[in-house]
Amino acid sequence: MSIDIGPPEFIPLSMLNALAYCPRRFAYEFIQAEMLLNEHVVEGHLRHEGVDLGGTTWLEDTVQHRRVYVWSNHLRIAGFCDVVEARGGERYPVEFKKGRPGRWQNDHAQICAQALCLEERTGARIERGFIFYFAARRREEVRFTQELRAEVEHLAREAHRLAAAGTLPPPIDQRARCRACSLEPLCLPDEIRQLTGAVAG
């Protein structure tokens, strides 16, 4: 006997990052719960251990809250902010990433989603956040523009649509993204494209 538990009520914030990168990656990670470990994935987990401990730190002019759970009933998304900083009357999320600033800006969608959740929880507008890249050893400021906010709303709707459908989208046409994806050995985008082309031809 199978039990149909239906689509999820809330999508994890990190899955919006995966969807912004590639719909097929989202489906593998969220719908099929697949993950392949390589040195980059393991290093990312290890780098995150300090942030994941939680707690609060009082600095000279800043208060840092680590591992803050947030959610949006409007978008039906939820997850953790690595850090929420309060400084000079301003509150904003800070996300930690292993590598360097990427070409695709999927990290921007994730931190903007955190900000939208924080806004819904606090009622206060958040104009910006920061992503700290371990490899670059610096923070990148991300402005939460109307375009980025609209992209996050679209991603949230699309994530729920794909989760309800429960199917695997085809590979995307951007091979540079595939080459940088840890799931490439599982996804086999080139092989799928060749087979699809052979059937269509």
Side-chain angles (χ1 to χ4, degrees):
M1 181 179 74
S2 64
I3 300 175
D4 182 7
I5 59 175
E9 293 188 8
F10 284 76
I11 300 289
L13 295 173
S14 60
M15 290 298 102
L16 295 190
N17 187 324
L19 178 57
Y21 190 84
C22 169
R24 191 170 169 89
R25 180 184 179 101
F26 166 83
Y28 270 122
E29 291 188 350
F30 187 62
I31 298 173
Q32 298 193 2
E34 296 279 4
M35 174 174 276
L36 295 181
L37 293 178
N38 61 23
E39 70 272 24
H40 302 294
V41 175
V42 173
E43 183 183 351
H45 288 313
L46 293 174
R47 294 265 190 198
H48 240 269
E49 284 185 345
V51 176
D52 291 341
L53 290 176
T56 300
T57 302
W58 284 266
L59 304 175
E60 185 175 341
D61 58 352
T62 306
V63 180
Q64 295 179 327
H65 303 281
R66 293 184 298 280
R67 195 162 172 76
V68 178
Y69 186 73
V70 293
W71 71 96
S72 166
N73 292 320
H74 169 61
L75 298 175
R76 294 189 294 146
I77 56 177
F80 288 94
C81 300
D82 287 342
V83 169
V84 175
E85 281 189 355
R87 179 180 184 181
E90 182 184 13
R91 182 187 290 118
Y92 48 84
V94 182
E95 175 71 13
F96 287 75
K97 295 295 183 186
K98 176 189 78 67
R100 300 178 181 279
R103 299 168 53 189
W104 317 111
Q105 299 196 332
N106 44 301
D107 295 340
H108 291 198
Q110 182 179 354
I111 195 170
C112 184
Q114 294 173 7
L116 295 184
C117 290
L118 276 171
E119 287 183 349
E120 195 170 312
R121 304 271 55 80
T122 64
R125 177 99 171 173
I126 300 173
E127 300 294 345
R128 63 175 181 164
F130 296 88
I131 304 174
F132 179 84
Y133 289 96
F134 283 103
R137 304 298 301 170
R138 68 175 175 83
R139 283 185 176 190
E140 176 182 291
E141 180 180 338
V142 179
R143 304 297 299 189
F144 302 136
T145 63
Q146 287 304 317
E147 291 78 12
L148 184 55
R149 291 168 181 268
E151 180 188 350
V152 170
E153 295 219 3
H154 167 74
L155 288 169
R157 290 193 300 271
E158 183 65 5
H160 282 284
R161 188 189 69 79
L162 289 171
T167 56
L168 200 60
I172 58 176
D173 291 327
Q174 293 176 283
R175 290 195 165 120
R177 292 195 191 218
C178 297
R179 285 194 293 271
C181 179
S182 62
L183 294 183
E184 194 273 344
L186 176 68
C187 177
L188 299 174
D190 287 338
E191 290 81 355
I192 296 296
R193 290 186 194 103
Q194 288 180 8
L195 287 171
T196 304
V199 171

